[in-house]
Amino acid sequence: MSTSDILIEVKNLEVLFPIRKKKLFSSEVRQLRAVDGVSFDIKRGETVGLVGESGSGKTTVGRAILRAIDPTGGDVVFHTNGNDVDLARVEGEELRKFRQHMNMVFSEGPVQLSTLAADRLRLFRSKMSLVFQDPYSSLNPRMTVRDIIAEPLIASGMMKDRDAIDARVREIAGRCKLNLEHLRRFPHAFSGGQRQRICIARALVSRPDFVVCDESVSALDVSIQAEIVNLLKDLQEEMGVAFLFIAHDLSVVAQMSHRVAVMYVGKFVEYAPTEKLFFEPKHPYTHALLSAIPQADPDADFNPIRLEGEIPNPLDAPSGCRFHSRCPFARERCASEVPEWREVASEHFVACHFTEEFEFSRPNRNTKN
Amino acid sequence: MLNVENLSISFRTDEGLITPVQGVSFKVEPGKTLGLVGESGSGKSITTKALMRLLPGNASLSGETRITYSAKDGNEVEIHKIKPNARSLRQLRGGEIGMIFQEPMASFSPVYTIGNQMMETIRLHRGCGKREARELAVEMLEKVGISNPSERIDQYPHEMSGGMRQRAMIALALSAGPALLIADEPTTALDVTIQAQVLDLMRDLQRDLGMGMIFITHDLGVIAQIADEVAVMYLGTIVERGATRDVIRSPKHPYTQGLLKAIPSLDTLHDRLSPVPGDIPSPTERPTGCPFHTRCPDFISGICDINTPFEVSPVAGRSVRCWLHSDVQGGRSAA
């Protein structure tokens, strides 16, 4: 794919949360570096998986791209088709004109999302969307399914005509395999899998280019999970939407994603096409993570690599390479020098000083093959 | 050690009487692990709550239910007959049968320290003094792999990470010295690396203490690693049972086959996943005949939707409830 296929470019993204520690007469402010210099890109119609342990900053990356949390540093550039009009700098009369021709706005040039002012950001919300983990708490119990799905269209001011909205809602509900009779019901009448399909319909109703799925299948049973994964793949093929798929279950991520990024304490440690990452990992952390996936095979050789200690607190993240305190291969240099984020093979990025010395293969390979 | 026969649990609800668990029988042996697998709503958790008599007030056990447990002192306890406020029930909960829940944050009290809560349990069940209880608690925390146990013991649950809290939960359950441990999805909320550590820990502790264990999960990958025997539940009945290895290698029931096929595997990265079609029916709309017939790919019209299959044993040590594996004629006359 050429560079023009890039939809979202994240450069040096940084999110700091101030943590106040109150003392008797003063307070001390420390910065929690939730996301610390993350760079990657997402292509049109692609799924990028994001894995990591809890507390590694996966969710914060997703939200910072959507500007649900304001990033404290770095750039998030949203490339749209056509010529180069930077919406971050569009003002007054011109902006109003754009608002009236919403769809036209989005066919204009790249947009610097990380500095976009709030009122202009609203325009972009219909181009990006989010599916949450818990389909029970993310649906308003007092709204009918039709109103829930129509909400993004109304909130962004994208559509005003009731019949047009109805038609769009019905179309997307059908695509998400919801029964049209269900549209008049309230969410309590639905099972977990059906609710998640409602959430997906809501996320896709404005025909976004980009959707963040934050642990969207983690709370579901295997069978329903498989159904939702298939649905997301189908919708991607039909609508060309790109996904950032955040999950801690590595096998689901492998199934969903074209490329996968591994995060550890606020930083990316590895980013590569799915097969490369799962079958030829280049970072010791990725390797350890893969070895811990339990396989439904009693004969598979299951020897998870035991990492010493716990995931560090991001408030006092280790110096140098953040993984050095638990890495079985750590040397002196790892504690003092931050490893460079470099491309070691085509599209395979790693942050490790000694990656060339390691020869990892896929752990726990099934014995039957 | 624990013998459950014909366990049926009914709930009185506004929509009438529903029976989410019907005729469940199983045994647990000391030092062995029984895995209970099934989708949400299949009755796994309610079954184990019945063993502890922790069911809510609108639930009742059927007349045929027999739950017998041989206690540490050698006495047989008939759990289904104990009165709800009996003294022996207190000894049973915690002292004989320990329980670990999915959400460790929800099972600790947030306003007491970990040590405080452990010492309460230890003093109640072992009848020892404060100082001795504290020493035992520190020892337990050390056993589950918590570093600096003598400092950690004075921490509150919110000061610990998820994996740490789950270990503390295990230490709490074990501190009363149970002979049987019920673990209800203990690793579902944890990251894979921590999950692997907790599973390792539970395996080691079981070997050292010789406990029997019931392990509930919906993850067949976890079952493959920890359980000796597995029982697959669907809509409140056990549809298939056998040694873990055999069940996973050659599943007999179409539901077990479907569950195994739905697991995403790294060997088939670009294939579509194959979910079990349809949704699990709600307990108020229980299908007639075989409860799985509405979703079964091998459904035989006129048999599966009318007659409830009984448990048959196609191979020694295995049992399955499915008409595909039983004599169809015999089934008709029995129903």
Side-chain angles (χ1 to χ4, degrees):
Chain A
M1 278 194 230
S2 67
T3 46
S4 64
D5 287 330
I6 289 175
L7 178 68
I8 288 174
E9 224 178 324
V10 178
K11 290 181 215 149
N12 265 320
L13 184 71
E14 193 184 80
V15 182
L16 306 178
F17 293 116
I19 304 285
R20 280 186 188 81
K21 203 175 177 182
K22 286 248 170 69
K23 290 180 181 168
L24 188 53
F25 294 111
S26 63
S27 73
E28 186 193 353
V29 181
R30 294 173 71 192
Q31 301 290 350
L32 187 150
R33 308 182 81 84
V35 178
D36 194 3
V38 161
S39 305
F40 68 111
D41 54 63
I42 299 171
K43 290 174 194 152
R44 234 162 249 291
E46 177 188 48
T47 303
V48 169
L50 184 51
V51 296
E53 291 173 88
S54 38
S56 59
K58 313 183 287 287
T59 297
T60 313
V61 168
R63 302 221 162 169
I65 294 175
L66 296 180
R67 284 283 305 274
I69 295 173
D70 281 335
T72 39
D75 301 319
V76 178
V77 181
F78 197 90
H79 291 267
T80 50
N81 295 329
N83 53 26
D84 274 6
V85 174
D86 190 345
L87 252 195
R89 298 195 183 78
V90 177
E91 299 275 352
E93 188 59 35
E94 213 180 341
L95 180 69
R96 215 168 310 139
K97 205 176 79 198
F98 277 135
R99 273 197 186 163
Q100 283 163 5
H101 305 282
M102 199 63 60
N103 290 322
M104 207 184 95
V105 175
F106 299 121
S107 59
E108 307 290 339
V111 177
Q112 174 51 277
L113 275 182
S114 49
T115 52
L116 204 64
D119 59 329
R120 288 178 221 170
L121 188 63
R122 217 161 67 115
L123 308 182
F124 273 89
R125 284 279 146 83
S126 60
K127 281 279 139 184
M128 316 177 292
S129 186
L130 183 61
V131 180
F132 299 95
Q133 172 170 7
D134 184 2
Y136 288 86
S137 58
S138 52
L139 296 175
N140 185 339
R142 289 163 179 254
M143 285 165 85
T144 60
V145 172
R146 183 252 171 218
D147 289 343
I148 288 171
I149 299 177
E151 181 87 0
L153 297 175
I154 296 162
S156 66
M158 202 172 157
M159 277 184 161
K160 292 207 170 61
D161 178 43
R162 218 188 136 77
D163 291 340
I165 291 177
D166 267 342
R168 175 70 74 85
V169 167
R170 269 202 295 273
E171 183 219 318
I172 200 78
R175 283 192 180 191
C176 294
K177 305 199 172 78
L178 287 164
N179 194 327
L180 293 186
E181 279 168 28
H182 289 169
L183 292 176
R184 273 177 295 154
R185 296 208 208 160
F186 289 90
H188 71 86
F190 296 93
S191 68
Q194 286 170 320
R195 278 167 193 247
Q196 201 57 284
R197 274 180 262 158
I198 297 172
C199 293
I200 293 168
R202 172 175 63 184
L204 293 176
V205 72
S206 57
R207 300 212 176 106
D209 288 328
F210 176 59
V211 174
V212 174
C213 301
D214 192 355
E215 303 272 12
S216 304
V217 299
S218 312
L220 306 173
D221 289 315
V222 271
S223 165
I224 299 163
Q225 180 174 300
E227 199 181 291
I228 298 289
V229 165
N230 284 345
L231 175 68
L232 286 171
K233 279 182 163 174
D234 290 347
L235 290 168
Q236 179 167 57
E237 214 155 275
E238 286 168 34
M239 305 174 71
V241 54
F243 290 122
L244 179 66
F245 193 85
I246 304 174
H248 65 264
D249 183 337
L250 292 131
S251 3
V252 178
V253 169
Q255 209 73 33
M256 263 308 285
S257 315
H258 300 104
R259 291 192 287 170
V260 179
V262 182
M263 216 173 162
Y264 184 78
V265 199
K267 273 187 182 295
F268 274 18
V269 297
E270 190 162 356
Y271 184 37
T274 307
E275 274 95 349
K276 287 259 183 68
L277 191 107
F278 279 86
F279 301 138
E280 302 159 40
K282 296 213 182 288
H283 196 282
Y285 178 64
T286 314
H287 185 238
L289 211 53
L290 295 177
S291 77
I293 310 175
Q295 303 260 322
D297 179 356
D299 297 327
D301 171 34
F302 186 61
N303 290 314
I305 297 167
R306 273 177 177 250
L307 296 175
E308 296 294 315
E310 294 265 317
I311 184 164
N313 182 345
L315 263 181
D316 14 48
S319 61
C321 172
R322 295 197 166 176
F323 187 54
H324 86 259
S325 56
R326 298 170 77 195
C327 181
F329 309 102
R331 291 172 219 176
E332 268 170 46
R333 189 173 160 206
C334 300
S336 56
E337 204 180 312
V338 179
E340 196 193 336
W341 179 242
R342 57 207 167 101
E343 190 167 4
V344 290
S346 165
E347 293 208 304
H348 199 143
F349 295 86
V350 183
C352 177
H353 293 305
F354 302 108
T355 179
E356 281 82 4
E357 298 175 19
F358 305 135
E359 188 72 52
F360 298 129
S361 61
R362 178 188 160 196
N364 307 326
R365 184 178 280 279
N366 278 355
T367 44
K368 61 180 170 187
N369 300 329
Chain B
M1 162 182 224
L2 178 78
N3 196 357
V4 179
E5 280 169 54
N6 272 322
L7 174 68
S8 298
I9 307 166
S10 307
F11 285 86
R12 286 185 303 277
T13 65
D14 295 344
E15 285 135 50
L17 199 69
I18 57 168
T19 311
V21 175
Q22 287 189 351
V24 164
S25 308
F26 58 85
K27 280 189 184 121
V28 185
E29 283 164 35
K32 295 275 185 206
T33 302
L34 171 74
L36 271 185
V37 204
E39 287 175 87
S40 30
S42 59
K44 317 177 290 258
S45 295
I46 310 177
T47 302
T48 50
K49 281 195 179 142
L51 304 182
M52 302 270 274
R53 297 292 300 272
L54 284 172
L55 294 171
N58 62 346
S60 58
L61 302 178
S62 79
E64 295 103 66
T65 303
R66 295 269 171 287
I67 308 171
T68 47
Y69 171 77
S70 32
K72 284 186 280 190
D73 56 12
N75 289 340
E76 290 274 314
V77 185
E78 296 199 295
I79 296 180
H80 58 283
K81 281 189 185 155
I82 303 178
K83 296 226 163 52
N85 50 3
R87 201 163 242 286
S88 52
L89 200 53
R90 277 208 187 174
Q91 178 51 34
L92 186 80
R93 291 180 185 158
E96 294 285 349
I97 306 180
M99 194 149 185
I100 303 173
F101 299 92
Q102 176 174 1
E103 225 342 296
M105 198 61 195
S107 355
F108 274 118
S109 162
V111 296
Y112 293 102
T113 62
I114 298 276
N116 210 316
Q117 298 179 53
M118 287 184 73
M119 279 152 65
E120 183 191 353
T121 314
I122 295 171
R123 291 182 66 193
L124 176 72
H125 288 289
R126 304 204 171 179
C128 51
K130 246 187 173 166
R131 180 168 303 175
E132 207 184 324
R134 193 183 160 90
E135 275 166 20
L136 262 169
V138 171
E139 201 179 291
M140 266 303 165
L141 287 176
E142 193 164 15
K143 211 178 236 169
V144 297
I146 288 180
S147 49
N148 297 329
S150 45
E151 282 169 38
R152 291 278 184 172
I153 194 169
D154 292 320
Q155 283 189 330
Y156 288 90
H158 72 89
E159 292 176 279
M160 294 184 156
S161 68
M164 201 71 102
R165 234 180 274 140
Q166 194 57 283
R167 286 171 202 222
M169 186 73 222
I170 295 173
L172 175 65
L174 295 182
S175 60
L180 174 68
L181 187 67
I182 299 174
D184 190 352
E185 310 241 8
T187 60
T188 307
L190 303 177
D191 293 311
V192 275
T193 50
I194 298 163
Q195 169 173 290
Q197 285 174 14
V198 170
L199 289 181
D200 248 11
L201 169 72
M202 293 184 73
R203 244 190 320 242
D204 291 351
L205 288 171
Q206 186 185 29
R207 201 186 46 225
D208 296 350
L209 306 172
M211 283 182 307
M213 193 148 80
I214 301 179
F215 199 100
I216 304 177
T217 178
H218 61 256
D219 188 340
L220 281 158
V222 172
I223 284 288
Q225 303 313 325
I226 196 147
D228 301 297
E229 227 200 326
V230 60
V232 182
M233 282 187 83
Y234 185 76
L235 277 187
T237 43
I238 293 180
V239 294
E240 179 159 12
R241 186 194 355 214
T244 308
R245 206 192 134 83
D246 300 342
V247 171
I248 290 179
R249 272 270 170 269
S250 63
K252 302 273 182 224
H253 197 281
Y255 179 61
T256 320
Q257 291 164 0
L259 271 188
L260 281 163
K261 265 189 231 144
I263 302 175
S265 156
L266 292 181
D267 295 317
T268 51
L269 268 190
H270 298 290
D271 299 354
R272 284 175 68 85
L273 295 174
S274 25
V276 183
D279 283 323
I280 192 163
S282 87
T284 50
E285 300 157 8
R286 227 185 130 81
T288 53
C290 170
F292 187 59
H293 85 259
T294 52
R295 300 170 71 188
C296 185
D298 307 319
F299 151 70
I300 312 167
S301 175
I303 296 170
C304 298
D305 50 351
I306 298 169
N307 302 328
T308 312
F310 15 59
E311 199 156 55
V312 290
S313 174
V315 196
R318 290 286 291 278
S319 64
V320 59
R321 262 175 210 272
C322 178
W323 285 125
L324 294 175
H325 297 279
S326 15
D327 176 14
V328 174
Q329 297 304 318
R332 273 216 174 113
S333 59

